[in-house]
Amino acid sequence: MEHILKSIKQLKQEKSATILAHYYTTPQIQDAADYIGDSLALAQEAVKLQNDLIVMCGVHFMGETVKILAPHKKVLLPDMNASCSLAESCEYGKFKQFVDEHRGYTVISYVNTSAAVKSLTDICCTSSNALPIVKSLPRNEKILFAPDRNLGDYIKSQTGRDDMVVWDGACHVHEQFSVEKIVELKRQFPNAKVLAHPECKKPVLILADEVGSTAALLKYSQASSSKEFIVATEPGIIHQMKRNSPQKIFIPVPPVDSTCGCNDCEFMKLITPEKLYLSLKNECPEVLVEEGLRVKAEKSIVRMLEMSKKLGL
Ligand code: 13P
Ligand code: SF4
């Protein structure tokens, strides 16, 4: 393994490549990356990239977002099977019909969608900026929110916008977290703070001391005076939490049904050091977006970046 990690470093230098990684990838991938972030930070980084060869260590929609924002760069995704259950839960044809049935609505879609769905979207969002973006829109503006029903319901509860129309999609990783498991852990660690991602179900979010994107939960764990944290999001983030606060204890919440006791996103975990090495070496597989579609999808992502800047995010 050491040998592969060394070769990745060498190849990266030789080819002047940039490696981007999401917090849910394995510790080895995170350590090999030039930049680690949540979905918003990775999109923000895409418009600042200097190098022409980019490897996205994350899932397909993340690579697609970089390609849409930086079309002249070569964007690699080490495993094209790295999909996302949320993106899969929002198929273009059905979503188009849904949008057509809601004429006059502002369409806000999570970045966890295909380029095709983004082309039907007015404003993209991530878990970092979804709430402030919705809050910034006039109260009488009609909103269609997709695809995550849990994040949509969370936004409704925080804004009182009960009339917001929400697509019925979900992330299979975050939907697995249960109140029972968290209560069990709270009994063992009564002083621990509960951290939850807004893709979790409502009863889990009600129990949480902090609800936020991966970057927000990381920040909270650093700033908090608490020493123990029960983490209800994909456990990859714990690598950075431990790195930033080595003296603190982070307890992953196991899913209800699991033989391995962990709640990994199997798509993120498809990105292994071996595949990263091969991808850099052979400069494939490459993420491509047809130009007409790219131009249509770009508008909603650019709008998100502009609004995030205005909102100080
Ligand atoms: P964030 O990166 O916005 O925290 O979202 C987590 C996620 O599930 C990404 O796929
Ligand atoms: Fe998609 Fe969920 Fe995996 Fe994130 S954790 S990439 S939302 S399946």
Side-chain angles (χ1 to χ4, degrees), residues 254-275:
V256 191
D257 300 312
S258 162
T259 41
C260 68
C262 60
N263 205 5
D264 284 343
C265 170
E266 74 269 27
F267 299 119
M268 290 281 186
K269 271 33 181 193
L270 283 176
I271 311 299
T272 60
E274 289 82 357
K275 289 181 200 163

Side-chain angles (χ1 to χ4, degrees), residues 22 24 38-39 61-62 110 112 127 174 197 199 213-214:
H22 189 271
Y24 293 163
D38 68 354
S39 306
F61 76 82
M62 294 175 176
Y110 212 28
N112 301 41
S127 59
H174 288 90
H197 196 279
E199 289 167 23
S213 71
T214 42

Side-chain angles (χ1 to χ4, degrees), residues 188-242:
Q188 290 175 52
F189 303 92
N191 298 322
K193 295 281 186 214
V194 177
L195 311 179
H197 196 279
E199 289 167 23
C200 295
K201 287 180 181 170
K202 192 173 184 178
V204 169
L205 298 183
I206 290 172
L207 271 188
D209 294 288
E210 180 68 4
V211 175
S213 71
T214 42
L217 298 180
L218 178 62
K219 203 167 158 193
Y220 180 92
S221 70
Q222 250 180 299
S224 167
S225 57
S226 293
K227 297 279 177 283
E228 294 167 345
F229 301 87
I230 294 168
V231 184
T233 189
E234 212 273 359
I237 185 66
I238 293 179
H239 182 56
Q240 294 304 320
M241 287 176 167
K242 279 186 182 160

